[in-house]
Amino acid sequence: MEKAGGDKKRSGKHGEGVAIDKQFLERSNATRYIRDVLTKIVENRPDDPIGFLADYFQNLGAQKGSVSRACQQIRLTHHSKPAFHNNVVLAYEILGESRNPPTRGIDGKLYMELVTELGIGFRQTIREKLLKKILCRDHEVVVFDVFRAGVLACVILEEFLAEAESLFKALDFHGQGKVEFSLCDAVLQELKTSVTSSLVQDPVALLQTAHTLSPSSLAASLTTITEKYTPAGHPRSPMTKEDFLATATDAYLLAVKPLK
Amino acid sequence: MPAKRIDFSVKPAVLINFGDNQKEFHSGCSVIDIVFPKALYVEIAEIHFRNYYTARLTVRACVRDSSHHRLSSEGRWQTCVRKMQLMPVGHSDENCESYFTITTKQMAFPLRDILTLRFILRQPSPLWKEFRLDDIRLYKSSIQDQEESSLQSLPWLFESTRASEEKEQQRESDATKPEGVSSIADLSRNLQQLWAISQKVTSSQPAHGPSRYDVDGTYEINLLSYN
């Protein structure tokens, strides 16, 4: 009996302690932050949750403007994940609320600030090319569809450039940092034709393009294109990675509708 | 070019009854007649339909008897398809609403110069009171043949599908590699990847850009006024 009573007392004390701890957590907003970040993790399903947590709290501490907050919101997850769309909506809302007075839409100026921030990782030439294509006028209302397309064009370009870099590496298997101009040009021309030919919504055209990019027919067309250079007899200087990526970006931007 | 559909009219299904018409007796047999009011000469290559709780199907055709007169309206009845199983088990509803295609291969004789087509539907199970065929379509020539012929115009498709793996590999090694390329397969993979990524952008493009009223940088004043 005595023993049981003692247990009860202890558990009562314990319960009090929990209540106090709870109060503290509430007061310091820690509960809210943890809950928020857990919701975000569940929504975005990051591959590396620890890194995600670290980034989240680092950004939380850094008190930034609405543009960078919107930018972070977009960067929370990869664009192929379902949560991405939701994040873009939230980013659009963050930007809209930051205006004075708060609005539901945004104008061209805010949109420009955002895409510039998103494209900060690109090299100067590539960024200029991209912005030229996706920017609209400062005073214009940017509807959500346009906003989303612009954001996607930015984030997908990152993926594209990474892939283009590995293509360059495959071409430059000696590791010299530059590749013969004729070969690069031939490859990039193939890329451009395939992008343009699939702009029309035609399933047969898609199959056709897929076929032209298959190893055997690619070999044939590359040979014909490179052969054209040889008899002409004016050797061009080899292409560097930067030039290659810039030209690849041109091919990519063919798929993007210009806004201006 | 789509396979030619045949115009026809379907007579209402007749449920076969025993004895008194008023008495309810589930005979499990019903008959659908199809007539061709407009056509002089009917040739059927494919019959498409959707089953609705019919267990077995028999198709009979009235073929014009041309021995007496070329356009005689008399004909001989012949069984074209005999007791084709539509539902594996009559009592269970497995595959009870499947689509079927009867091609010339399943027919006892080619359907040419037909006057009437008769579908005899049987459902021995008393579980299903109602059974019929829906969405009956008749085609003059086989749809499959048509599809194949339209695909013939894409030679590259056949080139890659018909060629066996071995042949493909053979060709790959034979293909003259352009100078300075280590592996054409890697190149192809990379290029395809790049193309796929650019496709993502294409599909995300907005239907409408921002709405503007100016034409080549100048405004039409009437568009800007409020009325």
Side-chain angles (χ1 to χ4, degrees), chain A residues 89-102:
Chain A
V89 175
L90 284 174
Y92 191 68
E93 277 169 7
I94 291 174
L95 288 179
E97 278 161 16
S98 75
R99 296 186 71 209
N100 192 23

Side-chain angles (χ1 to χ4, degrees), chain A residues 129-202:
Chain A
K129 278 179 184 175
L130 173 72
L131 292 185
K132 207 172 150 195
K133 203 78 185 253
I134 61 171
L135 280 191
C136 62
R137 297 171 199 164
D138 281 359
H139 57 86
E140 266 170 351
V141 171
V142 178
V143 292
F144 181 70
D145 267 3
V146 173
F147 177 77
R148 181 169 173 273
V151 168
L152 269 173
C154 282
V155 291
I156 296 178
L157 180 59
E158 280 168 29
E159 196 186 347
F160 183 86
L161 284 177
E163 191 63 39
E165 224 175 300
S166 73
L167 173 63
F168 186 80
K169 267 189 201 138
L171 288 170
D172 176 34
F173 57 99
H174 296 307
Q176 290 171 326
K178 48 195 171 186
V179 180
E180 222 174 297
F181 183 84
S182 59
L183 182 62
C184 281
D185 193 55
V187 171
L188 289 168
Q189 259 185 44
E190 279 299 313
L191 183 62
K192 262 185 197 168
T193 11
S194 52
V195 172
T196 20
S197 67
S198 51
L199 282 179
V200 281
Q201 305 282 329
D202 178 19

Side-chain angles (χ1 to χ4, degrees), chain B residues 84 126 150 216:
Chain B
M84 181 185 175
S150 78
D216 298 333

